Amino acid sequence: MDPKAALGSSDVELLERALECWLRRRSEAFSAAAVYLEDGDQGLRRISCHGTAAELVEGFPELLPASTAGEVEPSLPGCRRLALGGGWLLCRDEAGPVEEDTPWSEPLESSGNVEDLLLLAAVRACELSERLRLQTFQNQYRGVELEALYDVGLAVVSTLDLPQLTEEILLRAVSLLDARRGVLYEHDGGVYRRRRMVGGSAPELLEIGDEGPQGLLEGDEALLRDLLPGAEHVLAVTVEAAGSPRGLLVVADKESRFGVGPFTAPDRRTLSLFAHQAGIALENAHLHRQALEKERLEREMELAAQIQRQLLPESMPRVAGWELHGWNRPARQVGGDYYGVMERPGGRLLTVVADVSGKGMPAALLVSNLHSALDLLLGPEGLLDQEDLLVDEVVGTHLLHRLNRHVLDSSLPNKFITLLLVELDLATGRARYLNAGHNPALLLSVDGSLRYLEASGPPVGLLPEATYRVDTVTLHPGDLLCLYSDGITECTNLQGVELGEEQLLELLRRHAAEPLPQLAGRLDAACRRFARGLAQGDDQTLLLVRRGLEAAARGAPKA
């Protein structure tokens, strides 16, 4: 850069005349001299030079490296040096170079020579012009910097794709600070994981102690250089969102006229401002990803709920002389309860109620497994399509043995199913049942008596060699059979009290003569009133079977 253009021609011309006069007075000692002022990038820029030997004058470089500025005195082979306020005076002797750089013992201010004082005045004038130039430049640069930060911020926050965003953040940071290298780390489960890097290698993981990244940033500079091995100058700032560290942004080796140089305090401020914008953008991208994931899971859960609803009967078989009604309400979108009704050959009807351990998707998957197994064993072309399924105790226990083995082999060790199978002879009302660890069904007779269909074996999928027993009961005209899951009796209110079996029995007895859909609706309303707005804790399932009073007079109905 032309010094006259940078500082103003009058100031430089004054300095050149002053330097010429100063050299003329000291011609016996020096043949060439140059004045250097500190530049804005912490280097030294030559403002003026003069001498009687052209080759000596040409030996003064236009720029001296940044490492020679500040508290370190400039060093140029064959020169003597003298500090001049904000600049330096370097001199050469035409008789030959001095062996080492040695400053004058007496400063120019105390010499009393007119030439010395004139040179000092000219240097001070140039220094003031240089300060004014630098201040103007910094103000303009600050405006450009803010505009660049604004543009970069818009580019970053407009990106919600996380991989693209991390790449954009790092490339913009490196470009903003004229750095040759960079790396972006994100906080991930107690460690900082490398997401992007450019211009060289960097560790994959950073394990930062309890003091957080601040301990690293305030530590030894050698620790920072370990982030980008081989780098000479490293600048690192934290990336924060909502007041918490979310990552680390590191750049290295700022481009300068001398190759690479250190980063300045304004560079740190710029990178910190950009890191703040990057933190907001990363947080938005993560929230966007979470929202998309939540939306995807909700769609999948709704689809799973639709599939599970298809596993339950859309309607009950219409059987002369019998009433059937089923009802199910899962605690979540999908549940672990199941009920079904299958018409069997020979005028028989098989009813089943099951409760899988747990709730939600894992339980729903096991419900689907159970439905498939029952269909495989008992469907129209099932493996156990005998007419006397539960009439023959051997056949009945064989069914549970096969089912138990299937659940054990196809589910997790802590998963099991309570199951109640009841096969009705529609002509006689005789029912044979298998209860595998399920809560007892309730049989209410028209004469007011009550019988429980107790468990005769452990839950399915719990023990490899479990055994089961087939029991028998008869439904007389007017009798009501209630199969239910424990989500009904264990319905809890705000005080932690359960609805209980007694209240269920009381409601059944009081409304036993009502149509079964109406009776199920009363039970649903009773559970809701009892919970009083408390979230449902478990799946609720009900299967009601009632033999009509006219069934015995008609004889065997046709299924």
Side-chain angles (χ1 to χ4, degrees):
M1 179 184 296
D2 184 2
K4 293 184 179 180
L7 299 176
S9 59
S10 59
D11 294 325
V12 176
E13 289 173 357
L14 176 61
L15 178 60
E16 289 176 346
R17 292 197 192 99
L19 182 59
E20 181 181 357
C21 292
W22 186 88
L23 270 176
R24 188 180 304 119
R25 179 177 179 79
R26 297 178 179 265
S27 59
E28 295 180 358
F30 303 109
S31 299
V35 175
Y36 286 84
L37 292 182
E38 295 180 7
D39 203 351
D41 59 1
Q42 296 185 350
L44 292 170
R45 182 161 53 90
R46 191 187 68 203
I47 303 300
S48 177
C49 60
H50 189 76
T52 58
E55 67 276 8
L56 295 181
V57 174
E58 293 172 356
F60 292 110
E62 181 180 351
L63 295 170
L64 291 178
S67 60
T68 65
E71 298 179 357
V72 181
E73 295 179 350
S75 177
L76 195 63
C79 288
R80 291 185 182 275
R81 61 190 184 278
L82 177 66
L84 300 173
W88 291 85
L89 176 65
L90 300 181
C91 301
R92 280 198 176 98
D93 187 353
E94 66 176 348
V98 295
E99 294 184 358
E100 59 180 85
D101 298 339
T102 306
W104 284 278
S105 59
E106 181 183 8
L108 295 186
E109 290 92 337
S110 60
S111 68
N113 294 323
V114 175
E115 293 82 359
D116 291 352
L117 296 178
L118 180 61
L119 178 61
L120 280 174
V123 169
R124 295 289 169 82
C126 287
E127 180 190 357
L128 291 176
S129 296
E130 177 70 1
R131 287 183 180 179
L132 180 61
R133 182 188 71 84
L134 288 177
Q135 187 63 46
T136 303
F137 172 78
Q138 289 175 358
N139 291 338
Q140 293 174 346
Y141 177 79
R142 182 61 177 161
V144 173
E145 177 190 60
L146 291 176
E147 185 176 350
L149 274 174
Y150 177 75
D151 293 339
V152 168
L154 285 180
V156 168
V157 298
S158 63
T159 304
L160 291 175
D161 179 72
L162 200 53
Q164 180 182 348
L165 176 61
T166 54
E167 181 178 9
E168 186 80 11
I169 288 173
L170 183 57
L171 292 179
R172 295 278 183 170
V174 168
S175 174
L176 196 61
L177 271 75
D178 294 325
R180 290 185 177 180
R181 300 176 60 183
V183 61
L184 175 64
Y185 289 94
E186 263 200 288
H187 189 261
D188 181 16
V191 299
Y192 281 76
R193 188 178 302 278
R194 187 189 69 204
R195 296 303 185 194
R196 294 287 175 182
M197 65 179 177
V198 62
S201 63
E204 175 71 24
L205 295 176
L206 295 180
E207 295 187 7
I208 297 177
D210 297 336
E211 70 277 7
Q214 203 61 33
L216 176 65
L217 299 182
E218 296 174 357
D220 194 317
E221 187 176 351
L223 295 176
L224 286 179
R225 286 198 292 268
D226 289 342
L227 299 180
L228 287 168
E232 296 183 33
H233 306 282
V234 178
L235 176 62
V237 296
T238 56
V239 177
E240 297 185 354
S244 300
R246 301 296 174 87
L248 202 61
L249 184 57
V250 187
V251 294
D253 294 344
K254 180 181 178 68
E255 294 277 4
S256 74
R257 285 172 288 187
F258 310 105
V260 295
F263 295 94
T264 63
D267 290 333
R268 177 176 291 277
R269 183 185 65 246
T270 298
L271 190 61
S272 296
L273 289 173
F274 175 68
H276 178 70
Q277 294 176 315
I280 296 173
L282 285 172
E283 183 71 6
N284 289 341
H286 280 294
L287 292 175
H288 177 67
R289 172 173 284 192
Q290 291 173 8
L292 292 178
E293 181 67 14
K294 181 181 178 182
E295 183 180 347
R296 183 186 67 81
L297 290 175
E298 288 176 350
R299 288 197 303 267
E300 290 183 356
M301 290 293 289
E302 179 57 33
L303 178 60
Q306 293 177 10
I307 293 173
Q308 190 175 45
R309 284 193 292 269
Q310 293 175 1
L311 301 181
L312 303 178
E314 292 186 11
S315 60
M316 290 294 170
R318 299 179 63 85
V319 181
W322 292 84
E323 292 180 72
L324 300 165
H325 183 74
W327 168 78
N328 167 264
R329 184 171 66 214
R332 302 176 185 174
Q333 282 184 285
V334 292
D337 280 6
Y338 173 77
Y339 75 92
V341 177
M342 294 183 182
E343 294 184 83
R344 303 290 298 165
R348 291 182 174 83
L349 193 71
L350 181 68
T351 63
V352 56
V353 171
D355 185 359
V356 173
S357 59
K359 293 180 285 296
M361 185 61 74
L365 291 174
L366 194 49
V367 165
S368 178
N369 192 359
L370 172 65
H371 174 81
S372 300
L374 288 174
D375 185 67
L376 178 65
L377 294 171
L378 305 176
E381 299 179 0
L383 301 177
L384 296 176
D385 191 22
Q386 290 84 2
E387 292 188 5
D388 297 325
L389 177 63
L390 296 186
V391 173
D392 186 340
E393 184 170 341
V394 176
V395 175
T397 54
H398 182 57
L399 165 65
L400 263 293
H401 176 76
R402 295 284 296 272
L403 195 59
N404 184 56
R405 176 52 59 186
H406 174 75
V407 174
L408 276 169
D409 293 342
S410 60
S411 62
L412 296 174
N414 61 341
K415 291 295 180 182
F416 57 87
I417 305 172
T418 64
L419 183 72
L420 178 55
L421 285 165
V422 179
E423 186 180 60
L424 293 167
D425 186 325
L426 298 173
T428 64
R430 189 182 184 195
R432 295 176 72 86
Y433 66 91
L434 275 168
N435 189 334
H438 198 76
N439 44 286
L442 306 175
L443 178 57
L444 281 74
S445 299
V446 290
D447 60 6
S449 62
L450 171 67
R451 179 169 177 177
Y452 293 96
L453 277 61
E454 300 280 359
S456 59
V460 172
L462 192 62
L463 300 173
E465 302 300 331
T467 59
Y468 301 90
R469 182 185 71 251
V470 176
D471 292 316
T472 305
V473 70
T474 299
L475 273 71
H476 301 286
D479 289 352
L480 175 66
L481 178 63
C482 175
L483 292 78
Y484 64 94
S485 67
D486 57 9
I488 293 177
T489 53
E490 294 178 2
C491 175
T492 307
N493 62 16
L494 292 171
Q495 290 72 39
V497 179
E498 294 182 352
L499 178 71
E501 185 183 287
E502 289 300 322
Q503 291 199 50
L504 173 61
L505 276 171
E506 181 182 352
L507 186 144
L508 291 174
R509 284 180 170 138
R510 187 186 312 156
H511 304 284
E514 294 181 359
L516 297 188
Q518 185 175 336
L519 177 57
R522 289 187 181 276
L523 181 57
D524 180 17
C527 289
R528 293 179 185 275
R529 283 196 307 271
F530 186 79
R532 294 185 181 275
L534 191 68
Q536 183 179 335
D538 199 0
D539 307 317
Q540 298 174 350
T541 299
L542 181 72
L543 181 57
L544 299 173
V545 181
R546 181 164 57 197
R547 189 179 183 190
L549 291 172
E550 72 282 7
R554 285 198 302 268
K558 184 177 181 181

